[in-house]
Amino acid sequence: MDKDCIFCKIANKEIPSSIVYEDDDVIAILDISQATIGHTLVMPKKHYDNFLCVPHELMHKVMDVAQRIGMAEVSVLGAKGVNILINVNEAAGQTIKHFHVHIIPRYIADKGFQITLQDHSKEKDLNLPMLAQTLKKGLK
Ligand code: 5GP
Ligand code: ZN
């Protein structure tokens, strides 16, 4: 547990939250700011700074719960789709340094949450096969 971490305090019940699910390892709570109705955060109870440093087995448990939450958002909230979002580090918009997965139900395409992926491949004249090789070498 990180004594300064708000999600550790939530997992430890020192701070109240609206709990959707919990077991020994994983907790799912409603995000305090609801991007759309039902916006849920799934996280390990134990502190890990971000997605990149979570042990494989625990990641599996978190993603299993994330999938179940997504299914419930569709079946009981009537969502027509779901966005799964993980921010890693400040550069990617992570504000709370305790790994969590956003499960954001979607009802109407342009309401509540938007992410725009831009295509910069042309202007930078990228060599995609070479880039793939570079990344491949970095895989562990
Ligand atoms: P991030 O930007 O790190 O991916 O997402 C952090 C999320 O945590 C934000 O969507 C924010 O609304 C949510 N959040 C911040 N503080 C609290 C809190 O005290 N309780 C709950 N339930 N959510 C929080
Ligand atoms: Zn924490």
Side-chain angles (χ1 to χ4, degrees):
M1 157 144 187
D2 177 335
K3 65 177 175 38
D4 297 320
C5 172
I6 195 160
F7 285 174
C8 280
K9 288 179 183 161
I10 283 175
N12 224 22
K13 314 284 165 54
E14 290 168 36
I15 291 180
S17 67
S18 300
I19 298 173
V20 178
Y21 172 89
E22 76 173 310
D23 59 34
D24 288 346
D25 304 306
V26 180
I27 185 166
I29 60 170
L30 289 182
D31 193 305
I32 204 159
S33 59
Q34 294 275 284
T36 62
I37 305 303
H39 178 182
T40 301
L41 303 173
V42 183
M43 65 191 80
K45 286 185 169 175
K46 194 171 168 203
H47 184 95
Y48 290 93
D49 278 356
N50 66 47
F51 170 79
L52 301 180
C53 56
V54 179
H56 181 88
E57 199 182 319
L58 183 57
M59 179 67 82
H60 197 110
K61 288 178 180 172
V62 171
M63 294 313 283
D64 183 60
V65 175
Q67 186 188 44
R68 290 170 62 197
I69 298 286
M71 289 192 268
E73 289 175 351
V74 170
S75 66
V76 299
L77 296 182
K80 300 287 183 282
V82 181
N83 286 106
I84 311 297
L85 175 70
I86 300 170
N87 298 322
V88 181
N89 290 343
E90 238 176 83
Q94 186 178 6
T95 57
I96 304 218
K97 279 189 113 195
H98 177 130
F99 166 57
H100 55 278
V101 185
H102 296 255
I103 317 294
I104 305 169
R106 300 302 299 276
Y107 306 95
I108 303 169
D110 61 354
K111 283 248 166 78
F113 174 83
Q114 243 165 354
I115 193 160
T116 310
L117 303 179
Q118 295 158 358
D119 179 6
H120 292 290
S121 59
K122 308 286 182 300
E123 44 190 274
K124 291 200 176 124
D125 202 21
L126 287 173
N127 182 332
L128 293 188
M130 236 165 83
L131 184 55
Q133 284 307 315
T134 305
L135 275 171
K136 212 169 174 176
K137 283 183 201 146
L139 291 180
K140 287 188 176 147

